[in-house]
Amino acid sequence: MADERDPAHERIERLNQRFAGLAGWCFDHRFVVVLVCLLAFAGSLTLAAKIQQDASYESYFNEGDHTYEAYQKYLDDFGSDEVSYIGYEIPDLPHGVWNVDAMAALISLTEALEDEVPFVYEVTSLSNAELITPTEDGLAIRKLWRDFPHTQAAMDEARAIFLAKPMYVGGLVTKDARHGAISIDMDRSSTDAIEDIRLDPEGGDGPPNLYPQATYDKLDEIMARPEYATLRFDHSGDVPMNAVYNRIIENESDFLQYVSSGVIGLLLLVFLRSFVGVFAPLAIVQVAVMATVGFIGAVGWKLDILFGQMPNLIVTVGVAEAVHILIEFRLWFHELGDRRAALVRTLSLVGAPCLLTSTTTAVGFLALQVSPVLTLSHMAVYSAFGVMAAFLVTLTLLPALLSFGPRTPSAKALARAAKEKES
């Protein structure tokens, strides 16, 4: 047995007493605690509304990184290097992409992409690519749909000429001439300032109004039009990849959190069989998650591709601590017969272990902060913040919520507890 005069033992005892005092204060000022948590949630929600998503590969670099600086210099000199690349084929028509009717659809599609898609710098396809051929007087620069007759014979002639040009084979048309492609160069980059990537200056900063989502959505809408039904598309490149990643960050992480919260809530209902036992842990983790998102917004970071794991991490940590306190509280409530005394006793016993587990988890995440990969470094900080936020909310909001209810256990509850103790 530890000597009561041992300094480490005395420090732990003082810590336990402080947690006991915190439980008593939260019990006596339950409405203040709940109000502060609601205000913190609302403030975090306000900060979260201004956060952008950024899944581009640029988000992996620090501003002082030499590679990133060279990339920024390239953007300053040459503009955006981001592209959208649309591959297509026409499997149901003779001559494939060189079918005269398919070529008419391609020229219409190329013009629609040039005229309607936001943030586009240049669109290049077989229909408008410059075809340079030698003549007796020098060189002739022609374009397919402008300078060739609109007949199948002319398309067959153009096919032979294009396939003889290495600069087009593998880029705008495959060697077997069965597949074609449209290259769309952008005049924006995912790293540009927010005011430069808004589609509508007054439309807010929601993803549908920002590049690349606005560009990607318009591309999808155009390709789905019935006049291009004969063309089968495959869409790739920076624009669709970044847009889909951003959408995953925005939607899938929330969906996964709702699913995991629903499963955890069901398990809590089965084992704890009380409204507070289900509602309190889930409310705690929602406040902690929103506080973490608010923290990200407050420091001016963006939601990156690693953010998706953070909500479920906090759900795991927060619910585990809350369940530990709930089970200990139920035992002491039946033992002591007084709700306030049970809360004080519970936190005096489990407060220090919860602090140690949360702190060691947070420090483990912070160890990754030295990583040169920016997204990993950011994830280390906001995950550590989220773990400690979950701990703080658990040890304040949970006692406040548990303070609501009968001051003493009912006879039925005591009988059930006695029966469970015997078994």
Side-chain angles (χ1 to χ4, degrees):
M1 182 178 294
D3 188 345
E4 292 185 359
R5 291 172 297 179
D6 178 47
H9 180 75
E10 291 180 356
R11 284 195 293 270
I12 293 175
E13 283 299 316
R14 288 197 297 270
L15 186 60
N16 290 337
Q17 291 172 7
R18 288 189 175 91
F19 280 119
L22 176 64
W25 190 91
C26 292
F27 185 97
D28 298 333
H29 302 85
R30 67 195 79 173
F31 293 106
V32 174
V33 174
V34 173
L35 179 61
V36 169
C37 288
L38 288 175
L39 291 175
F41 184 86
S44 300
L45 192 62
T46 302
L47 291 171
K50 302 178 181 179
I51 297 180
Q52 294 178 250
Q53 288 87 32
D54 184 10
S56 65
Y57 64 84
E58 293 89 344
S59 65
Y60 289 84
F61 294 96
N62 285 293
E63 289 189 4
D65 189 283
H66 294 305
T67 304
Y68 183 73
E69 289 179 347
Y71 173 72
Q72 290 289 58
K73 180 66 166 56
Y74 170 88
L75 293 182
D76 292 339
D77 292 340
F78 300 102
S80 174
D81 65 338
E82 296 188 4
V83 299
S84 192
Y85 198 69
I86 302 174
Y88 65 93
E89 62 176 329
I90 304 96
D92 300 326
L93 292 178
H95 306 283
V97 299
W98 295 98
N99 180 280
V100 65
D101 295 327
M103 198 61 68
L106 178 63
I107 184 62
S108 172
L109 173 61
T110 302
E111 291 175 349
L113 296 175
E114 290 175 329
D115 296 339
E116 300 179 38
V117 179
F119 309 117
V120 165
Y121 176 74
E122 184 179 24
V123 180
T124 305
S125 71
L126 291 174
S127 67
N128 67 354
E130 292 183 342
L131 187 62
I132 302 176
T133 55
T135 66
E136 293 182 358
D137 299 326
L139 296 175
I141 301 176
R142 296 185 291 173
K143 291 188 178 182
L144 180 65
W145 204 247
R146 183 190 65 190
D147 299 314
F148 282 77
H150 301 168
T151 64
Q152 189 57 55
M155 294 304 103
D156 292 340
E157 178 190 352
R159 176 182 183 275
I161 298 174
F162 267 93
L163 292 181
K165 301 291 185 181
M167 65 181 296
Y168 295 130
V169 176
L172 294 182
V173 63
T174 58
K175 189 175 182 179
D176 60 7
R178 293 181 57 245
H179 300 81
I182 305 171
S183 177
I184 307 173
D185 297 320
M186 311 308 301
D187 69 351
R188 294 291 188 276
S189 173
S190 300
T191 58
D192 288 343
I194 183 68
E195 59 270 14
D196 294 330
I197 61 175
R198 292 191 189 104
L199 176 60
D200 178 1
E202 307 299 329
D205 295 335
N209 191 49
L210 299 177
Y211 173 85
Q213 278 88 345
T215 300
Y216 175 70
D217 291 342
K218 191 61 179 181
L219 287 169
D220 265 6
E221 185 268 318
I222 291 175
M223 288 187 291
R225 292 175 182 174
E227 56 263 39
Y228 311 125
T230 56
L231 282 71
R232 189 168 69 188
F233 298 107
D234 292 296
H235 195 185
S236 184
D238 301 281
V239 171
M241 290 177 64
N242 291 341
V244 170
Y245 284 151
N246 287 343
R247 195 153 289 161
I248 290 173
I249 294 172
E250 180 186 14
N251 299 325
E252 296 299 322
S253 59
D254 290 342
F255 176 74
L256 185 58
Q257 181 190 349
Y258 296 147
V259 171
S260 60
S261 297
V263 173
I264 290 173
L266 182 61
L267 292 174
L268 291 174
L269 181 62
V270 170
F271 290 105
L272 298 180
R273 291 173 292 178
S274 71
F275 173 76
V276 174
V278 176
F279 172 76
L282 297 181
I284 287 167
V285 296
Q286 294 303 321
V287 173
V289 167
M290 190 53 62
T292 306
V293 178
F295 168 78
I296 295 173
V299 298
W301 295 342
K302 297 179 181 180
L303 299 185
D304 53 52
I305 195 64
L306 295 182
F307 171 79
Q309 67 180 354
M310 187 276 297
N312 286 293
L313 167 71
I314 294 180
V315 168
T316 303
V317 174
V319 170
E321 292 181 344
V323 169
H324 191 182
I325 293 173
L326 283 167
I327 293 175
E328 196 73 24
F329 166 75
R330 291 182 66 176
L331 293 174
W332 285 108
F333 186 40
H334 296 145
E335 182 76 20
L336 300 177
D338 182 82
R339 184 171 291 270
R340 189 182 190 280
L343 275 172
V344 171
R345 182 61 175 166
T346 296
L347 255 65
S348 71
L349 292 174
V350 304
C354 288
L355 173 62
L356 291 175
T357 55
S358 297
T359 302
T360 53
T361 303
V363 170
F365 279 113
L366 283 175
L368 299 173
Q369 198 273 332
V370 298
S371 171
V373 180
L374 187 60
T375 53
L376 189 59
S377 177
H378 285 179
M379 184 274 290
V381 176
Y382 62 66
S383 295
F385 178 90
V387 169
M388 296 310 299
F391 165 76
L392 179 62
V393 176
T394 300
L395 266 69
T396 53
L397 182 58
L398 183 56
L401 295 176
L402 288 175
S403 68
F404 294 96
R407 186 66 183 248
T408 58
S410 64
K412 183 177 180 180
L414 290 173
R416 185 172 62 249
K419 185 177 180 179
E420 290 176 355
K421 188 174 182 181
E422 291 175 0
S423 61

